[in-house]
Amino acid sequence: MELADRAIGLLLSVISLSIFTYYTFWVIILPFVETDHFVHKYFLPQEYAILIPVFAGVTLVCFLTMFIGYVMIKSKKKKA
């Protein structure tokens, strides 16, 4: 089981590092590159650089709120 945990941890680390690098390049470096450069075809428009994290954050907060509410309701039923 330890080898599987390490493999999953490594995979998650690589995915996280890849997303971080892509997003950093997209938001910080790409605005300084000329708009007709070929690298722009690999990235979404700049508006999505704000919309995607906001949507992900709102979704995360909603799921956390639902989970906490579910746990609170379940613990109330357990006491009664």
Side-chain angles (χ1 to χ4, degrees):
M1 191 65 131
E2 184 177 318
L3 183 62
D5 291 341
R6 283 187 177 190
I8 291 172
L10 179 65
L11 179 66
L12 290 175
S13 296
V14 168
I15 289 171
S16 298
L17 186 63
S18 300
I19 290 172
F20 176 76
T21 304
Y22 179 86
Y23 187 77
T24 302
F25 188 82
W26 183 25
V27 173
I28 296 175
I29 298 172
L30 200 63
F32 299 108
V33 178
E34 295 179 14
T35 55
D36 59 343
H37 198 273
F38 76 93
V39 78
H40 277 277
K41 69 180 179 181
Y42 298 111
F43 295 92
L44 293 172
Q46 288 293 97
E47 296 83 30
Y48 291 108
I50 300 298
L51 292 176
I52 291 173
V54 167
F55 178 74
V58 168
T59 304
L60 178 68
V61 167
C62 287
F63 280 121
L64 285 174
T65 304
M66 288 173 30
F67 175 74
I68 291 170
Y70 174 75
V71 169
M72 289 174 64
I73 290 171
K74 194 171 181 179
S75 68
K76 265 189 180 178
K77 286 183 181 178
K78 203 176 207 181
K79 286 182 182 179

